[in-house]
Amino acid sequence: MSNSVYMALIGYAFVTSVTPGPNNFMLLSSGVNFGFLRSIPHMLGISVGFLRS
């Protein structure tokens, strides 16, 4: 992988990880209402959903 492609990938990963989206807001709400440990299944569900799409 060339350096320009690698830097584009790093930039894309950074931007998508810091921008708020609906899943981030759902996890924030779940964490506030139920706590971190009870929100872990929600986090796993979102991750599995992204893998399947």
Side-chain angles (χ1 to χ4, degrees), residues 20-39:
N23 291 323
N24 292 345
F25 286 122
M26 285 191 307
L27 286 174
L28 174 66
S29 175
S30 179
V32 167
N33 290 319
F34 306 114
F36 177 74
L37 291 177
R38 290 181 62 194
S39 297

Side-chain angles (χ1 to χ4, degrees), residues 7-48:
M7 292 307 291
L9 175 64
I10 294 298
Y12 175 77
F14 174 76
V15 168
T16 57
S17 69
V18 297
T19 55
N23 291 323
N24 292 345
F25 286 122
M26 285 191 307
L27 286 174
L28 174 66
S29 175
S30 179
V32 167
N33 290 319
F34 306 114
F36 177 74
L37 291 177
R38 290 181 62 194
S39 297
I40 291 175
H42 192 172
M43 286 186 264
L44 295 174
I46 290 171
S47 298
V48 169

